[in-house]
Amino acid sequence: MTRLRPLVLMFAFALGAGQLSCAQETIDIDAQAPTKPFPHFWEQMFGSGRAILSLRESYREDMRAVKKVADFRYVRFHAIFHDEVGVYNEDEHGNPVYNFAYVDQIYDGLLKNGVRPFVEISFMPKKLAFNPDALHPFWYKQNVSPPKSMERWDDLIRHFGQHLVDRYGIDEVAQWYFEVWNEPNIDFWNGIPRDKSYFELYAHTARALKEVNTRLRVGGPATAAAHWIPEFLKYTVDNHVPVDFVSTHGYADDTVEDMLGTSENIPMDERVCRAAAKVRSEIKSSPTPSLPLFWTEWNVQGMHQSRDTIFVGPGVANTVRQCDGLSEMMSFWTFSDVFEEGGPIPKPFDGEFGLRAKGGINKPSYYDWGLLHQLGEQRIDNDAKDAIVTKTADGGLAIVIWNLVDPDQHGDTRTVRLSLSHVAPNARVTIDRVDDEHGNVLKRYQAMGSPLDPTPAQVEQLNRETALPAPEETKLQSGKLELKLTPNALVLVKIGSK
């Protein structure tokens, strides 16, 4: 990778045009332009590995850390019914035996830390499975079989839902979401045929939950690559099956053919939101056009271990820009590298999904979320494809700007000039950034010798050395501000109301 130069702040007109060697762009911003609501849909929910991991202190430490930088309200994980959680057993006569001891510890731990579960109902307890040997190749070998008895499955769901209501109260559990299964259109479900057998499972699950209390919110189909939405909604309407929300998944490096069903040449940076727009249109065209859409798994493209790098910030910001208004919540997969689909993580930086690496090391993406969190909740429309302009509660402006360069490309430093109207021409400005020199832990980790198992002292040092400094403070000059953005820089500019 080409060595990235540090981002340098420059004021308008401080240098003549002939002295600027990088590409230039002007972004015009009217501070009094109409606004629209901008709920922070990208930071309200995160994914994580599987249920039992949430009992680990490392998981909970990462959860608390991410809560400090993001409006983290829900977490979604797999396998609440995995045998390691111990929910379902049978006695010597073959009668069901339920045990929610670990379920309680799992959900108690979330709630104690201010996070609610987005309950993914999966996978199949082996003693309830039609095929006890139908194990997925993930390291923890979850069972992906349909149940041997739908009546037994219904009973498990009723006991599960009733236990949660009894323990936490309906006013609390009514604020949760219950999503039936995970990606049943691929190898996480081996019912035959996959779609019709899943729809039957969904119907039984949704009806059983509503028997417990009609306020419990249930939805699906939780498919990979935005599949099955029209078919699922048609099934629920035709068969009078309750559905409170639609959920599906899509990643930037899913193929266009798989996720969108076309042969178009669509850049990876646009695929997630193109798919979200497709699904939103499918919902609107269905007999239930007002259902909310939750994008319960997504991430930026992962080639060249990019998810450990500063690329994530611009990739996320660009997705937020495009997906605004398409999904009520988008669940980034994942908030933590406490994650074991392929087995225990062997070293801190191996291209995994999370915001924090093994041992609790903050990646650049951790700091990116901290910058994006500071955006206001009213957005000002702007044509720029590399900026989001918002109004803050105190009447000021919060703007993020980025220089997106894909992991397999080499980019140049760009100069961006902000030209603002209807603000004080010399208004106070603060600037934060994540770039090659700010919030980027990889250089420091390599300088440390790239330890496979960093000590707590080394983790503390890495986090201390990469913590973002206090914002730079300056003022507009005649209503203008000029910035240089190195490749994959993400910059937050806040402009006071006076």
Side-chain angles (χ1 to χ4, degrees), residues 41-74:
F41 60 91
W42 68 90
E43 65 169 350
Q44 296 177 23
M45 175 165 53
F46 283 90
S48 68
R50 69 187 195 279
I52 204 71
L53 298 177
S54 69
L55 298 182
R56 296 185 188 171
E57 186 60 21
S58 57
Y59 179 104
R60 293 179 176 180
E61 283 289 344
D62 285 355
M63 181 168 61
R64 288 188 285 267
V66 173
K67 279 280 289 183
K68 292 179 181 178
V69 298
D71 190 13
F72 187 6
R73 301 180 186 180
Y74 291 93

Side-chain angles (χ1 to χ4, degrees), residues 4 6 13 54 172 176 184 192 230 361 385 409 447 473:
L4 306 183
F13 311 123
S54 69
E172 170 61 35
W176 301 9
I192 301 173
I361 302 170
K385 293 186 177 181
Q409 301 295 318
E473 297 189 14

Side-chain angles (χ1 to χ4, degrees), residues 169-460:
I170 186 57
D171 288 342
E172 170 61 35
V173 183
Q175 298 181 71
W176 301 9
Y177 296 91
F178 293 82
E179 182 184 40
V180 180
W181 215 255
N182 175 70
E183 300 188 347
N185 58 314
I186 59 174
D187 62 354
F188 292 101
W189 173 250
N190 75 351
I192 301 173
R194 277 197 168 118
D195 52 355
K196 293 179 181 178
S197 62
Y198 168 76
F199 295 161
E200 182 184 7
L201 181 83
Y202 177 86
H204 277 262
T205 307
R207 287 169 176 151
L209 285 171
K210 294 293 187 178
E211 284 181 36
V212 173
N213 195 294
T214 57
R215 293 174 63 190
L216 298 184
R217 299 184 288 194
V218 60
T223 41
H227 284 225
W228 289 4
I229 305 304
E231 298 88 345
F232 171 72
L233 293 177
K234 183 178 187 304
Y235 175 89
T236 58
V237 169
D238 289 350
N239 294 277
H240 308 289
V241 179
V243 57
D244 297 303
F245 62 88
V246 172
S247 66
T248 191
H249 305 163
Y251 288 77
D253 44 14
D254 283 339
T255 68
V256 174
E257 182 179 4
D258 189 21
M259 193 153 59
L260 293 164
T262 75
S263 57
E264 298 172 81
N265 183 17
I266 300 173
M268 289 186 183
D269 305 307
E270 298 179 11
R271 292 178 190 175
V272 170
C273 298
R274 284 284 298 271
K278 181 196 78 166
V279 172
R280 178 63 82 180
S281 177
E282 290 170 341
I283 295 171
K284 287 183 178 179
S285 299
S286 77
T288 49
S290 300
L291 288 175
L293 170 61
F294 299 134
W295 208 266
T296 51
E297 282 188 29
W298 77 281
N299 204 305
V300 299
Q301 54 265 46
M303 75 280 286
H304 304 300
Q305 300 181 337
S306 61
R307 291 168 179 147
D308 294 331
T309 74
I310 60 172
F311 165 75
V312 176
V316 169
N318 192 49
T319 302
V320 169
R321 176 187 68 83
Q322 297 172 76
C323 282
D324 180 20
L326 297 178
S327 176
E328 278 71 13
M329 285 196 290
M330 294 185 71
S331 181
F332 191 80
W333 186 263
T334 60
F335 76 83
S336 170
D337 281 0
V338 179
F339 186 79
E340 294 178 349
E341 288 181 355
I345 301 299
K347 58 183 179 179
F349 298 102
D350 200 28
E352 299 294 340
F353 297 94
L355 275 59
R356 300 190 97 209
K358 174 184 174 182
I361 302 170
N362 296 330
K363 298 184 188 181
S365 54
Y366 175 84
Y367 300 111
D368 292 323
W369 246 268
L371 299 192
L372 292 168
H373 175 70
Q374 297 179 59
L375 287 170
E377 295 199 357
Q378 293 292 321
R379 182 176 177 184
I380 298 174
D381 280 336
N382 195 280
D383 292 335
K385 293 186 177 181
D386 49 12
I388 298 172
V389 183
T390 67
K391 216 163 204 179
T392 56
D394 61 3
L397 298 176
I399 306 161
V400 289
I401 312 159
W402 56 90
N403 182 8
L404 177 64
V405 179
D406 285 335
D408 58 346
Q409 301 295 318
H410 296 286
D412 296 320
T413 295
R414 293 174 42 249
T415 298
V416 177
R417 174 183 292 176
L418 304 183
S419 180
L420 296 109
S421 57
H422 296 110
V423 298
N426 61 345
R428 178 177 175 270
V429 176
T430 63
I431 302 169
D432 289 280
R433 67 197 66 169
V434 176
D435 60 13
D436 196 45
E437 301 296 333
H438 301 84
N440 183 14
V441 71
L442 292 177
K443 287 183 176 180
R444 289 172 174 83
Y445 175 70
Q446 290 161 4
M448 187 178 279
S450 303
L452 293 181
D453 297 292
T455 66
Q458 288 174 319
V459 171
E460 188 277 332

Side-chain angles (χ1 to χ4, degrees), residues 466-478:
T466 58
L468 298 186
E472 298 177 31
E473 297 189 14
T474 186
K475 294 182 178 181
L476 295 180
Q477 290 193 357
S478 301

